[in-house]
Amino acid sequence: EIQVDSGGLQAITLGKDVNDEMKDGVYRTQSKYGTIGFSFDVMPLKLINDKSSFHDTSGRFFDPSMIKQCAIESGKNLARQIEVYLEEKTVCRPMLIIQGNSYKWYQKWADYALAQIPKNHLQYIAGISSGAGALGQGLREDVERVFTLSQLNVPAHLKKRFHLLGFGSMNRLIPVIQLRKAGLFDDDVLFTYDSTKHTGSVVRGQFQDGPKIMQMSRQKDKMFHKAFLHVSEVSKNVFGYDLDEDDLYMTICRPSADWAEKYGSADFKFEERNLSKYAFFLYSVYEVMRCVKLMEDDDTNIAKIRKKDYNEFISLKNIRDAHDYNEWKLHAGRAIRSKGVRNLDDHSSLENFL
């Protein structure tokens, strides 16, 4: 399976104009190379000033008055995406992206967005992708996001596949593990996620050693040799390639300029260098999934990652319905770190708040 992002957020960050022609081009690229494609969604946010960013929860507000407009526009984007996929006769299927600040607003978003899709086209939607742009990035918000997915009132087939945007650390996957144990999701429900943590580990030289992320040094030390042992095994098993120790060292542990200085060109051994990156990246993903499996099998493994609030996370598996969840939020949930986006409705106006 190949999941293909829309690149919408990146385009906005770079100051690019996201017009209909660009969107159609993205959809056709997705249809050519992917099996799952993500659409263009519109954030229901108000930024405090021009210096605020979508990654700074203190610099933005969720604006409930924008939900309908943003959801309808996002739904129309999804409808057009489906049309392009049908024109291209592709196997690629789109995901419905939903945004909100609580269950109430996520549900409203889903209702407004799905109303834009012709009924005979609903079958082509692969599942639901949940964003946190208007909710927040703390672990408490992660629990809220996962629980919300379990309660959504949407066509049944959409609840068989969920994607969590920007959800790649082991900490943030614990709510999925525990709420699955609670029985809030059927056994055949598929969860996927995307994360810059895995891809960024290659650039930052960070080695996933079980539940720990270890910073590689610029030396061929004990940690490097441990990394080489595991990464070279991945390279051999996945790519059928015997990874060269110096290639991995120069790629992960040294600045890119050192490669050009040593070999005379940054493009020298281009394929070997990329294979080093891919193998290092894949081992990071493998280690995260291995640890997730350990946490699924035995709650005590969660303590290796979350010692401080272990009991609060363990208690998630006792939640059976919305009443249980609200009780959890009032008591155990208060101990979980929060980094929420503020709701503009909680203030008479943005100007008065400032």
Side-chain angles (χ1 to χ4, degrees), residues 79-133:
R80 176 55 185 164
Q81 185 180 21
I82 294 172
E83 290 176 356
V84 173
Y85 285 2
L86 292 175
E87 291 172 8
E88 296 293 326
K89 296 180 172 60
T90 179
V91 297
C92 194
R93 295 192 299 159
M95 296 288 286
L96 165 65
I97 299 178
I98 61 174
Q99 301 284 354
N101 189 255
S102 66
Y103 166 76
K104 170 186 174 180
W105 296 111
Y106 277 111
Q107 183 64 61
K108 283 182 177 291
W109 181 288
D111 292 340
Y112 288 131
L114 288 172
Q116 312 310 309
I117 313 299
K119 290 186 177 180
N120 63 328
H121 283 182
L122 289 174
Q123 61 182 310
Y124 297 115
I125 304 174
I128 293 177
S129 178
S130 175

